């Protein structure tokens, strides 16, 4: 038996409870991994609230790093004793150990710590696919990125800077704008005090950006379309402020034949080879010093409810990890 943080019904952070769960041996295509650090991500709140449906009871969490204890038949890229990390479905990371599918678990190179990997896997591979696997983005291109001081945002700022991409980052306070600028944003906009559409047009000489990356959702979606140049791409990848209402496709036409996609990381990770390549790209960026694992908060695993509350109240900066 191992300790785990789970919900028996959807609702607020107070529904997260400490339970004991059995951990058996891995079957074919599975591993058993003992966690050393666990990542907190906004997607965890979607499962907790019921926005994303799942069977109950549910151990939360999509990301962790640790040591492989056992492997099942057919697993060739990992062996017992390997240091490994993952961002993967199904949920179940908020536990001391678990048995899970092996295909999306990735070997960790020397020089990457468990906490770094737990802070980076989901957010970092999100940034990897946003910049490399949705629409071509080249050196000199302009990108608008919302919530640029958050965990994903800070990685995106650094990633863009390392590749010569002009990232315009938005945040809710001057302090958070400063964090985004330090991370690598070329320009920052405090959307609480500034009209971000007007500022984007000012920064781009009235042209607009080629790509918007929006993990906020409902509160920023519609006006973000006005930040795009003709035939620009809107990448909606999260719902931090709530899901985006239905979109009239004619609005995309009238605003300049805009492109729109709603992406999710796990589509890109579903292919084993692509997942491993994305993780290697991420670790290479980290080891080269192009990006950092900015851990703003650490909580004991049993304080998962408080961590969820802080995340939803926008009190966190950078990544949050659970310690064991």
């Amino acid at each position: 038996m191992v300790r785990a943080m789970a919900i028996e019904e959807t609702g607020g952070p107070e529904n997260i409870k400490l339970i004991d769960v059995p951990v058996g041996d891995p079957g074919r295509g599975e591993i058993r991994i003992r966690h050393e650090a666990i990542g907190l991500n906004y997607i965890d709140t979607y499962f907790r609230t019921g926005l994303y449906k799942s069977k109950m009871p549910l151990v939360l969490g999509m990301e962790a790093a640790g040591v492989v204890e056992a492997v099942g038949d057919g697993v060739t890229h990992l062996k017992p004793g390997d240091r490994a990390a993952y961002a993967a479905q199904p949920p179940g990371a908020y536990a001391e150990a678990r048995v899970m599918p092996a295909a999306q678990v990735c070997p960790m190179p020397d020089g990457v710590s468990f906490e770094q990997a737990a802070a980076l896997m989901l957010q970092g591979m999100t940034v990897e696919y946003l910049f490399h696997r949705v629409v071509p983005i080249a050196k000199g291109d302009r990108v608008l990125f919302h919530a640029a001081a958050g965990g994903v945002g800070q990685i995106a700022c650094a990633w863009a800077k390392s590749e010569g991409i002009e990232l315009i980052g938005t945040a809710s306070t001057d302090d958070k704008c400063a964090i985004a600028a330090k991370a690598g944003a070329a320009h920052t906009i405090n959307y609480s005090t500034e009209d971000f559409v007007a500022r984007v047009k000012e920064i781009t000489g009235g042209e607009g950006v080629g790509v918007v990356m929006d993990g906020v959702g409902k509160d920023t979606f519609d006006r973000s379309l006005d930040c795009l140049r003709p035939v620009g791409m809107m990448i909606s990848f999260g719902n931090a402020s709530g899901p985006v209402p239905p979109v009239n496709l004619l609005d995309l036409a009238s605003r300049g034949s805009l492109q729109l996609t709603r992406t999710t990381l796990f589509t890109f990770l579903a292919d084993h080879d692509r997942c491993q390549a994305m993780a290697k790209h991420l670790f290479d960026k980290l080891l080269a010093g192009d990006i950092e694992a900015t851990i703003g908060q650490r909580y004991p695993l049993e304080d998962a409810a408080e961590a969820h509350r802080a995340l939803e109240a926008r009190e966190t900066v950078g990544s949050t990890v659970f310690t064991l």
Side-chain angles (χ1 to χ4, degrees), residues 45-319:
T45 72
Y46 301 160
F47 280 100
R48 194 205 72 228
T49 61
L51 179 63
Y52 290 178
K53 307 302 180 185
S54 188
K55 293 181 179 179
M56 299 291 153
L58 175 67
V59 177
L60 297 168
M62 312 290 284
E63 167 187 57
V67 178
V68 177
E69 290 189 326
V71 302
D73 291 342
V75 177
T76 59
H77 69 294
L78 293 167
K79 65 183 183 303
D82 281 352
R83 301 164 71 251
Y86 64 85
Q89 294 179 318
Y94 288 13
E96 292 173 317
R98 69 183 294 198
V99 169
M100 65 181 295
Q104 279 66 54
V105 182
C106 307
M108 288 170 52
D110 293 340
V112 177
S113 73
F114 292 119
E115 284 199 354
Q116 285 177 313
L120 277 177
M121 288 299 286
L122 194 147
Q123 297 175 347
M125 288 201 289
T126 295
V127 172
E128 201 276 352
Y129 90 72
L130 287 172
F131 281 90
H132 295 276
R133 301 180 190 272
V134 180
V135 62
I137 303 174
K139 182 177 181 179
D141 287 348
R142 289 174 170 143
V143 169
L144 174 65
F145 199 101
H146 289 300
V152 177
Q154 289 188 56
I155 299 167
C157 291
W159 199 291
K161 183 178 181 180
S162 75
E163 300 193 350
I165 296 163
E166 187 177 341
L167 185 143
I168 304 169
T170 73
S172 60
T173 68
D174 288 342
D175 286 345
K176 288 189 174 184
C177 284
I179 290 168
K182 183 178 179 181
H187 312 274
T188 60
I189 302 171
N190 182 341
Y191 62 75
S192 297
T193 59
E194 299 178 276
D195 181 336
F196 72 80
V197 177
R199 282 284 290 125
V200 166
K201 292 298 177 69
E202 178 185 343
I203 291 167
T204 62
E207 179 183 359
V209 297
V211 179
V212 174
M213 299 177 180
D214 185 2
V216 175
K218 176 176 64 68
D219 289 353
T220 52
F221 177 85
D222 189 65
R223 301 196 71 229
S224 292
L225 296 177
D226 293 327
C227 295
L228 286 166
R229 69 187 186 207
V231 201
M233 169 65 81
M234 173 70 170
I235 306 174
S236 177
F237 69 95
N239 321 284
S241 65
V244 174
V247 177
N248 183 341
L249 292 181
L250 289 177
D251 286 346
L252 302 180
S254 65
R255 281 168 150 147
S257 299
L258 302 181
Q259 303 175 74
L260 168 64
T261 183
R262 175 57 170 93
T263 59
T264 178
L265 170 64
F266 299 105
T267 303
F268 295 88
L269 297 184
D271 179 85
H272 169 75
D273 290 340
R274 181 168 55 204
C275 173
Q276 300 297 317
M278 290 170 66
K280 183 179 184 305
H281 193 184
L282 174 64
F283 289 139
D284 286 347
K285 282 279 193 183
L286 177 65
L287 292 172
D290 291 338
I291 63 171
E292 297 179 357
T294 305
I295 301 171
Q297 302 76 215
R298 292 174 175 84
Y299 291 87
L301 181 59
E302 55 267 29
D303 289 347
E306 173 57 23
H308 273 234
R309 187 205 62 76
L311 180 66
E312 290 178 300
R314 299 188 180 182
E315 294 174 359
T316 63
V317 175
S319 298

